Each structure stands twice: as structure tokens, then as C-alpha cells.
Amino acid sequence: MAEKPADSRKNLKNRTKLVHAGRKPSEQSGFVNTPIYRGSTVLFPTLDDLLNRRMPFTYGTQGSPTTEALQTAWTELSGAKGTVIVPTGLAAIAIALLAVVKAGDHILVSDSVYRPNRNFCDTILKRMGVETTYYEPLIGAGIEALIRPNTSVIFLETPGSQTFEVQDIPAIVAVARAKGICTILDNTWATPLFFQAHAHGVDISLEAGTKYLSGHSDLLLGLVTANEVWYPALHATYDAFAMCPGPEDVFLALRGMRTLELRLNEAQRQGLAMAQWLGGRKEVLKVLHPALPSCPGHEIWKRDFLGSSGLFSILLAPCSQQALAAFLDGLELFGMGFSWGGFESLVIPFDCKTYRTATPWAPQGPALRFSIGLEDIEDLKADLAAGFERMHATP
């Protein structure tokens, strides 16, 4: 099989790109997958080569053929100038922000972002002299009123973590571009397959490869892509921190990438089916799923997104803590854990009212976030139905 450059794949579908991007069997004795390169030291053949750094990789923190394979593939898939890979999703958030901000800056961050993101802004960035203002996720072009002369970043996450508001990315990007402000997007929920961040004008896009790229709940990883304007600063910041991922994790991410579209499409099908079923239950007051017309920002999702993943939330009718515990503790197929995107189904309760600051959070009853896995949907429904019965039986 002849290997072709990335440019020759421009007109191919993503499903095909995922299979072929980042692979060079001719350089690895014909083996299909890029092997795991472990190591720190790189040897130079001559003094001149060493002094001029005349090797593809100069030290283990600069990457290896394994990391290069994933960087190359993810850059192609994202339509970016380049990619850096870091050990976790939170590390991706940190490196993206640190590539842009400086002491004295002001940044705007969506009120619905991943909670550890807020903690990073409220602790590390605050100590650096960077002020954070949290904004209403559905603000759209109205964000212009919050911009100050020293605003350097608008940080978006769409849909919002836990509460699933869909932001008007093109409207916010237009304001940011006019003001010379960098936009950063956490695109973990959709991945580049369901939302093309750079095509919509976002400067830096990131995600936790821990989730759907992995697909098997067995690694931690973060990926950050940037356009031509911001990639030099991103890469320089990455080099300064030497925040490199483990080679086994990168290898597992490459393996997960080959089946990413197949698994995402199944997650979409399973997630929608479960969301619709839960929406018909009397115990459920509201389903927060961007692909449902009842979800805030649904029309924007329909305009900008190419699909939906298997993560969504529900708001339950009021019930006691004991009843909620009876529902959750007895589930046989849904685990309780703070992640998602794997092959197994998960559920967690959450309450945003202690940390949302720009938008009030006051649901009538408990809120649950579901990650729908690859189990048979009828088995999952039966597990939840039994849980609802336990809930009713518990005062």
C-alpha cells in the first residue's frame, strides 16, 4: 500500500482519515501501528549534529515517533496548524491559557466550564495577577459588554460541563477577532468530528483525550491544537514546561483514534435513545441534551454541530437524599465515577449552585449526569427503571 501525504486526504471522509492519518508503515518495518518509543536520551552521530540539533527528536521531552504520529493525525483531523499533547485534560486547559495570558490580564470564562478549570483560574492564574470574569454561557455577541482594555482570552466550553448550554461560537469569535482577543474552546464533548472548532474561527481548541479518544477508560491525556497565529506561542509554552505525556498513553490514544467515529456514532445513537426515554419518565422534569429541542441553545447546536455524543444530564422531580441513594446505589450497569466517554455507562449527581457565579442554578430536584456506554440500550433502561422503583419505595 502506497503511503500518501496528508494533503492527498483532504477530500476523504473523516472515517477514512482516522484510519490512515499519522501512520507510516514503511518506516516501521511494515508494521501497521506506530510502536511505543520509550526513552529520554537521543544520540547524535556527530558534534556538528549535536550543536545544530540536527535530529528529528533531540530529547525525550521533545517527543518521539509515537507522539509525532498522534500530533500529525490530530492536526489533520482538526484542521489546525499544529498540536501539542499533554498528560491530562486539565493540563491541556492550563497550557492553552498559559500560552496566552500574562500578569495584569483579564480573561472571560464561560460560567458552565469544567469545574477544575475554574479552580485553575481562581488559584494559579489569580496568583499570576490574571483576573477572571465568568459569563453567562448563552450571552452570544453580548459578550462585548464584558470586554476590558486588558482582556486577552475568551474561554468557551460548548456544550457546558454538566448543564449543557450551547454557546454561539461564531458570534463570540466575531467579537473577539474585532478586539484582537484569543478564543480558546474546550471541545471535549464533540471532538473535531462533531464540531470543527478552527473552521468556526476558534484560535485554540483543546480536549481531554481521556474521554472519547481513549474510549476505554484506561488512559489520561490532553490535546491542544492552534491556528497559524497562535501555534508558535502554544508550542513555545509547551517546550518551556516539558509537559510530555507517557508513551503508552499516546499509543493507546492512537489505537482509540482508529475507531473514534464508529464509537462516537454509536454513543450518539445510544445517548439520544436514552435521553428520549428518560424524557418520558414521570420522575424526570427536564432532560439537558443539546440535540433535544428543549435544551438551551438547541438551535445553535443544530446550526453548528455535526452530531451529539453520549453525555447529557437530567433534572429529577424533588425527592429525599435517601430516595436518590436508593436509586443510584442499586444500579447494576451504571457505575458512579467522575469521567465519561468509555465503553461503560456512568452516572453522577451534581449541584452547581456552590460554584456558578454568573448564572443561578436552582433546579427543583436533584441533577444527574449520564454517560451512555455500549451496553444494550434495553438492558440500560431496565436498570434505570428498577432504580426508579427503588426511589418510589424509599421515603
Side-chain angles (χ1 to χ4, degrees):
M1 181 184 72
E3 295 165 23
K4 297 182 178 180
D7 285 349
S8 69
R9 290 191 291 269
K10 282 184 178 179
N11 296 323
L12 297 178
K13 304 296 184 184
N14 281 333
R15 181 166 169 174
T16 306
K17 289 180 182 178
L18 286 167
V19 171
H20 292 275
R23 292 200 297 118
K24 297 178 181 178
S26 65
E27 296 181 9
Q28 50 212 35
S29 302
F31 282 93
V32 169
N33 291 308
T34 306
I36 298 173
Y37 284 78
R38 300 182 183 89
S40 56
T41 304
V42 176
L43 300 180
F44 296 81
T46 69
L47 175 62
D48 185 60
D49 288 325
L50 186 148
L51 294 177
N52 290 285
R53 301 293 195 269
R54 204 174 285 121
M55 288 288 281
F57 307 97
T58 58
Y59 190 67
T61 57
Q62 301 295 312
S64 72
T66 313
T67 53
E68 183 187 48
L70 182 56
Q71 288 169 334
T72 300
W74 204 251
T75 297
E76 180 180 341
L77 188 67
S78 302
K81 173 63 176 177
T83 301
V84 300
I85 309 171
V86 293
T88 67
L90 183 56
I93 291 168
I95 209 78
L97 283 166
L98 291 173
V100 182
V101 300
K102 63 183 183 302
D105 279 359
H106 167 254
I107 65 173
L108 292 167
V109 177
S110 173
D111 202 34
S112 60
V113 293
Y114 178 53
R115 191 177 181 187
N117 187 341
R118 298 179 76 103
N119 183 61
F120 181 77
C121 294
D122 295 342
T123 56
I124 304 301
L125 290 190
K126 185 177 181 180
R127 290 210 306 268
M128 288 176 54
V130 176
E131 183 182 356
T132 301
T133 298
Y134 295 98
Y135 65 86
E136 155 64 56
L138 302 179
I139 196 170
I143 200 167
E144 185 169 6
L146 302 179
I147 292 174
R148 304 176 188 175
N150 62 332
T151 302
S152 59
V153 169
I154 299 176
F155 195 107
L156 312 108
E157 181 175 327
T158 186
S161 184
Q162 298 181 327
T163 47
F164 293 91
E165 301 92 339
V166 181
Q167 295 189 249
D168 192 338
I169 300 294
I172 294 174
V173 163
V175 172
R177 286 280 171 91
K179 300 283 187 178
I181 296 169
C182 178
T183 49
I184 303 175
L185 170 68
D186 186 332
N187 197 31
T188 304
W189 183 84
T191 83
L193 294 182
F194 285 165
F195 185 77
Q196 281 281 316
H198 296 298
H200 283 86
V202 172
D203 294 308
I204 299 175
S205 180
L206 61 92
E207 61 192 272
T210 309
K211 311 306 196 232
Y212 281 116
L213 179 57
S214 160
H216 294 79
S217 303
D218 56 3
L219 68 88
L220 293 166
L221 202 72
L223 304 100
V224 192
T225 61
N227 59 19
E228 191 167 358
V229 172
W230 283 103
Y231 183 65
L234 173 65
H235 194 268
T237 306
Y238 172 76
D239 279 346
F241 277 87
M243 199 185 290
C244 51
E248 285 83 3
D249 289 341
V250 176
F251 177 84
L252 289 173
L254 277 165
R255 187 175 69 173
M257 188 184 72
R258 306 306 176 191
T259 60
L260 178 59
E261 182 165 2
L262 295 173
R263 290 184 288 102
L264 264 181
N265 285 335
E266 185 64 7
Q268 174 175 232
R269 188 186 70 81
Q270 295 259 102
L272 272 172
M274 185 58 75
Q276 290 164 348
W277 180 80
L278 284 165
R281 297 284 310 193
K282 62 182 179 181
E283 302 89 351
V284 177
L285 296 181
K286 191 170 186 180
V287 179
L288 302 176
H289 189 303
L292 299 182
S294 59
C295 191
H298 167 73
E299 290 302 318
I300 295 173
W301 172 85
K302 191 164 63 173
R303 182 194 69 192
D304 295 343
F305 283 71
L306 302 174
S308 62
S309 61
L311 190 76
F312 65 92
S313 294
I314 64 170
L315 306 181
L316 292 171
C319 67
S320 68
Q321 187 71 14
Q322 292 82 0
L324 181 63
F327 173 78
L328 293 173
D329 291 351
L331 292 174
E332 297 180 354
L333 301 180
F334 286 84
M336 282 188 282
F338 294 101
S339 193
W340 46 275
F343 55 83
E344 79 291 4
S345 292
L346 298 172
V347 60
I348 57 165
F350 67 91
D351 187 352
C352 302
K353 66 174 175 285
T354 60
Y355 49 90
R356 292 287 287 261
T357 55
T359 50
W361 176 254
Q364 294 175 258
L368 300 175
R369 190 186 71 184
F370 287 94
S371 176
I372 307 303
L374 300 178
E375 302 93 340
D376 188 281
I377 196 72
E378 296 305 320
D379 290 336
L380 294 177
K381 290 177 183 177
D383 195 26
L384 294 179
F388 285 127
E389 291 302 316
R390 291 192 301 273
M391 178 185 286
H392 291 308
T394 305

